[in-house]
Amino acid sequence: APYRKAADVRAEALAAAARDGRQVLLHFGAPWCGWCHKLEAWMELPAVAPLLARQGVDCKIDVDRTQGGQELLQELSAGKSGGIPWFAFLDAEGRVLASSTGPEGNTGFPAAPAEIAHFRGMLEQAAPRLQPQDVETLVRSLQPPEKPAGG
């Protein structure tokens, strides 16, 4: 099968977002990227997927296999992606509302406390369809489980 153009993949997601009055959750990755797989697995968790779907249309761009994927990543991240995974909330016109580029660089998959804090800020800034308890659910789902005492 021929590889799709990144511009077409994004245009389809933007059209769907405009129809539904939602945003686009655009994420860039590659098959060889372990953190990209971790991000996508998290996005599919039963507690996470419905919340993300309520907020926006999922749009994945593979920087290796989607034509123009790397160039689109550079354009949207203003050349500051810091690697993949990189993600952003876009409005239905394609403007970046919030991105994974934080004060300490690209959060990629938010795992460290500063990365999770940046992700919380992204949600609070650019995810109006989510209630405060939804944001808490998403943030908690990123934090490692607590270890039992004495163990």
Side-chain angles (χ1 to χ4, degrees):
Y3 294 135
R4 299 191 61 208
K5 293 181 180 175
D8 294 343
V9 173
R10 178 179 64 164
E12 289 171 11
L14 292 171
R19 275 192 309 272
D20 298 342
R22 293 187 292 160
Q23 297 170 342
V24 172
L25 175 53
L26 177 64
H27 52 108
F28 291 85
W32 48 264
C33 171
W35 284 107
C36 300
H37 291 290
K38 192 168 177 91
L39 177 66
E40 291 170 22
W42 172 79
M43 291 173 68
E44 294 173 3
L45 290 174
V48 171
L51 297 176
L52 294 178
R54 182 184 325 146
Q55 179 56 39
V57 174
D58 181 36
C59 182
K60 178 185 176 185
I61 303 287
D62 181 322
V63 296
D64 288 344
R65 297 185 286 196
T66 308
Q67 295 174 10
Q70 186 66 45
E71 293 80 6
L72 184 59
L73 170 60
Q74 291 303 310
E75 174 191 329
L76 293 176
S77 69
K80 299 177 183 175
S81 73
I84 54 175
W86 185 87
F87 59 95
F89 289 105
L90 308 179
D91 67 15
E93 287 78 42
R95 290 183 294 265
V96 175
L97 301 171
S99 80
S100 61
T101 303
E104 298 180 18
N106 182 22
T107 63
F109 173 76
E115 295 168 342
I116 294 170
H118 176 70
F119 181 65
R120 174 191 295 276
M122 288 178 65
L123 294 171
E124 290 170 349
Q125 172 187 346
R129 289 178 162 238
L130 297 179
Q131 299 299 314
Q133 64 269 21
D134 300 330
V135 171
E136 286 304 316
T137 297
L138 292 172
V139 168
R140 270 194 318 274
S141 72
L142 292 165
Q143 296 168 342
E146 292 184 25
K147 295 183 181 180

